[in-house]
Amino acid sequence: LQSGRVEEAGAHAARLGTDAVEHPRLGTVALLALLRSGRKDAAADLAASFDETAVTDGQLAGSIVRALLEAGRAEEAVEHGERFL
């Protein structure tokens, strides 16, 4: 992402699968890469796949809510956000 290779970063993030869900920092970066590359639906699907009870990282929680909002899934974003509080 920092090098400006947004499409490549988004494609790589889309292939991460469960690794992105198991590692908070990787999950945050994957969500950001998917959003910046225009893969909003993929970002929202990844965001929805996180176990909310296991999310303890504030940046990841914010990225999950943001991904859902940017994909037009506002109601789901609000529900996740309330549970993270």
Side-chain angles (χ1 to χ4, degrees):
L1 284 174
Q2 290 179 341
S3 66
R5 295 163 59 182
V6 176
E7 272 304 312
E8 186 177 332
H12 181 67
R15 293 189 302 267
L16 288 174
T18 58
D19 286 341
V21 176
E22 294 172 3
H23 304 282
R25 186 173 176 128
L26 183 59
T28 300
V29 173
L31 288 168
L32 181 61
L34 289 167
L35 288 172
R36 287 196 180 168
S37 66
R39 294 174 169 89
K40 293 180 181 182
D41 289 332
D45 291 342
L46 175 60
S49 72
F50 284 89
D51 175 6
E52 294 170 354
T53 61
V55 175
T56 58
D57 182 88
Q59 284 185 316
L60 177 57
S63 295
I64 290 169
V65 172
R66 177 182 176 186
L68 292 167
L69 280 172
E70 288 196 25
R73 293 161 62 171
E75 188 173 319
E76 194 175 348
V78 170
E79 290 171 4
H80 278 69
E82 287 175 344
R83 285 192 288 265
F84 289 141
L85 294 176

